[in-house]
Each structure stands twice: as structure tokens, then as C-alpha cells.
Amino acid sequence: IGLKDYEFSKFISKFFGILIFNGKKDKAFKNFGKILEGLKAHFNCDPFDILQTSVENLIPIMSYGQKRMGNRYVIVPKLSHGSERYIYIINWIFRNLKNKSNIFGAKMTDVSDVIIDAYFYRGKAIRSKHAFYKLVLSSKHLVKMRPRWIYRSFRRRYKTLFFSALSKKSNKIIT
């Protein structure tokens, strides 16, 4: 599933907003430049293309939400959309850094290493995505939902790209 240009620019603005700390935008520019330099040093091509491919590899199709059943709320799977997808991607990137102190103490070379691993569809960020999918798909309330509704919404929005991507990328998710 590819990102359109305006969706990628929204992701970049949200990603850049995460790098701003205590209103220091100039330091965020420097850190973002270090991330791009790390990508450029590894590939010798446009770092934005690499970043866009990595984001496309990490973008989630499903997430979970709450639905009221009787007197209680249960977690049910749903299609993710909008900026919710970008928040998941940024969490997976920054949660899987080598330096675990915090986002602002992290080395930007570590961030670029996580992005490079996502480009090649490997690494901890991809494993976090797979673990997230297992959590979403293992919901016992997925069985109670109408399969016709699930199939219809997937067919309309993604035309079974989700299932073909799961079977091609990793057989571990399906089992």
C-alpha cells in the first residue's frame, strides 16, 4: 500500500514535531538533518525516498478500538486511518532504539538505523508491527463480528492487499 505525497508530507510534519523539545526548532532541524545524513551515507540516493519506503513498510492497516457490548466495553479490531497510522509508526521507530534513555537523548544515527532496517523489512520495528497485528487479530470478539462486514470493508478500501501482503511478507502472522 503506497503513500500519496500529501500523506507522506503529513507524516514528515508529525515526525518533525516529535523531534522538537522545549520549543527548540533549530535543534530539531539539526537532528532531522542527522537522520537524513545517516540514510544518505548508507544508500547514496535521495533519503526521502528511503524514508518513504520505510514508512510504507511500517504503515499499519488495522488497529483496535472499543465497542460497547452490553454493559462493558470490549476491544475490537478496526481499520486504521488518518494520523493514527503515523502515530503507530513513530512509536515503533522510537520504541526500538538501541539507546533506551528517551527520545531526546537518543542518537540520531540509531533512528536512521531503525529506518534502514524498516526499509529492508527487518528489525525490531517490523517485529513490533507483527506483534501488534497478532494482538489485533487475536481478539476473541473478532469472531463475533459479522464476517461479511469485515470482508466488504477490506474489499472496498484495500482490495485484499492486506492479505496478500501478509502472505508475502511473513507467514508468522497468519498462523
Side-chain angles (χ1 to χ4, degrees), residues 2 4 23 38 52 54 62 67 73 78 83-84 87 94-95 98 104 123 127 134 172:
K4 298 179 176 111
Q52 185 168 3
S54 321
M62 292 184 75
K67 183 177 180 182
Y73 288 94
K78 67 172 189 159
S83 65
E84 174 188 23
I87 293 169
F94 283 107
R95 192 181 300 154
K98 294 175 187 172
F104 309 109
R127 279 181 279 188
K134 283 183 182 178
K172 294 179 184 176

Side-chain angles (χ1 to χ4, degrees), residues 14-22 27-28 30-32 34-35 86-112 114:
K14 193 160 284 284
F15 186 77
F16 184 75
I18 291 291
L19 295 175
I20 296 174
F21 180 64
N22 285 341
K27 191 163 187 171
K30 289 178 185 176
N31 288 339
F32 191 68
K34 288 178 186 176
I35 293 170
Y86 310 137
I87 293 169
Y88 284 125
I89 294 169
I90 291 169
N91 282 338
W92 292 334
I93 288 173
F94 283 107
R95 192 181 300 154
N96 295 302
L97 296 174
K98 294 175 187 172
N99 182 6
K100 290 283 190 176
S101 62
N102 59 11
I103 292 174
F104 309 109
K107 295 178 183 173
M108 294 303 126
T109 55
D110 292 345
V111 176
S112 61
V114 171

Side-chain angles (χ1 to χ4, degrees), residues 42-129:
H42 195 278
F43 286 101
N44 292 330
C45 63
D46 187 22
F48 283 104
D49 293 337
I50 297 158
L51 186 61
Q52 185 168 3
T53 306
S54 321
V55 168
E56 288 172 0
N57 286 344
L58 283 174
I59 198 158
I61 297 173
M62 292 184 75
S63 65
Y64 58 88
Q66 292 183 345
K67 183 177 180 182
R68 187 171 178 169
M69 290 187 173
N71 291 334
R72 61 191 173 108
Y73 288 94
V74 293
I75 294 174
V76 293
K78 67 172 189 159
L79 296 174
S80 66
H81 58 280
S83 65
E84 174 188 23
R85 300 183 302 170
Y86 310 137
I87 293 169
Y88 284 125
I89 294 169
I90 291 169
N91 282 338
W92 292 334
I93 288 173
F94 283 107
R95 192 181 300 154
N96 295 302
L97 296 174
K98 294 175 187 172
N99 182 6
K100 290 283 190 176
S101 62
N102 59 11
I103 292 174
F104 309 109
K107 295 178 183 173
M108 294 303 126
T109 55
D110 292 345
V111 176
S112 61
D113 289 342
V114 171
I115 292 171
I116 289 168
D117 285 343
Y119 178 81
F120 289 117
Y121 210 84
R122 64 175 189 225
K124 291 182 179 180
I126 297 292
R127 279 181 279 188
S128 295
K129 176 184 174 181

Side-chain angles (χ1 to χ4, degrees), residues 122-161:
R122 64 175 189 225
K124 291 182 179 180
I126 297 292
R127 279 181 279 188
S128 295
K129 176 184 174 181
H130 293 320
F132 180 73
Y133 276 158
K134 283 183 182 178
L135 174 79
V136 168
L137 294 175
S138 69
S139 172
K140 65 181 181 180
H141 297 288
L142 180 64
V143 178
K144 293 182 180 179
M145 295 173 70
R146 285 183 271 151
R148 187 184 315 154
W149 175 82
I150 295 171
Y151 174 71
R152 205 180 294 152
S153 62
F154 272 116
R155 187 180 62 196
R156 246 186 267 136
R157 291 192 184 184
Y158 298 107
K159 297 181 182 171
T160 66
L161 283 176

